[in-house]
Amino acid sequence: MGKEISREKAITNTSVIGIVTNIFLSLFKAGAGLIAGSIAIVLDSVNNLTDALSSAITIAGIKLAKKNPDTNHPFGYGRIEYFSAIIISIIVLAAGVTSIIESIKKIITPEKADYSIVTIIIIVASVITKLILGTYVKKQGKKYNSDALVASGSDASFDAIISGSTLLCALATMIFDFVIDGIVGTIISIFIIKAGIEMLLGAVDDVMGNRPDSEITKDIKAAIREIPGVMGAYDLVLHNYGPNSAMGSVHVEIPSDLPASDIHKLTTIIQATIIEKFKIFLTVGIYAVEVKDENIINIKKTINDYCVSNPGVINTHGYYIDVDRKIISFDLTADFTIKNKAEFIKNTIGHINEMYPEYQVAINIDTNYSD
């Protein structure tokens, strides 16, 4: 719980720094823009206010995400953080669209602004400040797994580019008496819109439910396999209910002669181990593995060797082989390169029937959710 509180506090403090910094920058830029008669600088100051709003949204998101679970939301409110990132991405997109509209207007009807040394100093200070702020906020966002902070940090970095383009335009006007505001603004706006779309798609992926980090899933399975009595770990599924909130399920292979009391003890140890190491609760399913009957062991090995030799097959597991009733049943994990799974299963069963014609074969195809 202490770690969660520190995460919330860190994200809130980082967002407050962003709000204060952007408000001060907005005031300075607004004054400089009005004095110089530069619409570019005035729009830049307004953009800083939207950045302050982004930080405020991040704070609201992290506060709401910490609400306790209730009857309507038994898994909690952690996913609100993803919606915060979506809103911030939309703000970035809106800023890019507004910028490109104003830039095109400047191309059609160029306006020469009256820049001064003071104006240039303010713009330079703004660029440096926004670069530092953007780098810091993104670093904190990655450290504390906050998409909203990463989006805010990216937004600040883009603002530094916008301010840099404003500086370029000012210098071109002062030195060469050449107005390039519209051209430079249009180019920069295109990149901002592109980045906004990418941020939005990333946040939407989190809401939809994307594949968990493969390193984490491999570490979880490795930790389970290290527990005495476990012969294999399969079918790991993780459900994300926020950046630092997940639960899921896994199937483990154990010796078929293990007593029920020992199975209960083993599943408890697995759950406790994963909660301690990864802060994830897992429901544990059981596959009983034959360890004495050599005939069943050989049948399993023969079928497995054939199946994994096919492209797209990751593994087979969960075997149930009854030599008296002549039944073979198992799970097969396939990746997404196998498009027609029904046809693939039909062909696989046909091949196994050629090897063991007296057996009835059933295959359950598993989706590769985690590896």
Side-chain angles (χ1 to χ4, degrees), residues 245-259:
S245 176
M247 62 187 302
S249 60
V250 68
H251 284 103
V252 297
E253 289 184 334
I254 62 172
S256 59
D257 57 356
L258 201 65

Side-chain angles (χ1 to χ4, degrees), residues 134-319:
T135 301
Y136 171 72
V137 173
K138 278 195 290 186
K139 183 178 179 181
Q140 291 293 95
K142 291 177 180 178
K143 180 179 179 180
Y144 293 99
N145 193 21
S146 170
D147 286 349
L149 272 188
V150 172
S152 291
S154 299
D155 193 13
S157 299
F158 296 138
D159 289 343
I161 297 174
I162 293 175
S163 297
S165 67
T166 304
L167 176 63
L168 179 64
C169 297
L171 292 174
T173 301
M174 292 177 68
I175 299 172
F176 304 106
D177 196 29
F178 184 58
V179 181
I180 60 170
D181 296 46
I183 298 172
V184 174
T186 300
I187 295 172
I188 298 299
S189 299
I190 292 172
F191 283 102
I192 293 174
I193 292 171
K194 177 178 179 291
I197 292 173
E198 289 173 350
M199 284 192 290
L200 180 61
L201 292 177
V204 169
D205 273 349
D206 287 328
V207 174
M208 290 178 62
N210 50 15
R211 183 181 294 277
D213 188 332
S214 61
E215 290 301 317
I216 292 177
T217 58
K218 288 177 182 176
D219 290 344
I220 290 174
K221 288 182 179 180
I224 294 173
R225 293 188 186 105
E226 290 175 359
I227 298 173
V230 175
M231 300 179 67
Y234 303 93
D235 308 330
L236 176 63
V237 177
L238 295 179
H239 302 286
N240 187 320
Y241 294 101
N244 278 9
S245 176
M247 62 187 302
S249 60
V250 68
H251 284 103
V252 297
E253 289 184 334
I254 62 172
S256 59
D257 57 356
L258 201 65
S261 59
D262 289 345
I263 295 174
H264 188 181
K265 178 181 177 181
L266 183 59
T267 57
T268 302
I269 292 172
I270 293 170
Q271 290 176 332
T273 300
I274 300 307
I275 288 175
E276 180 183 355
K277 290 187 176 181
F278 303 96
K279 303 298 184 290
I280 296 173
F281 176 81
L282 290 181
T283 300
V284 182
I286 299 298
Y287 290 136
V289 178
E290 177 59 54
V291 292
K292 295 180 179 179
D293 191 315
E294 289 296 329
N295 183 33
I296 292 177
I297 293 172
N298 289 331
I299 292 175
K300 173 185 173 182
K301 184 180 184 307
T302 301
I303 293 174
N304 179 75
D305 289 345
Y306 164 71
C307 290
V308 298
S309 68
N310 287 279
V313 176
I314 298 173
N315 61 57
T316 64
H317 55 276
Y319 282 84

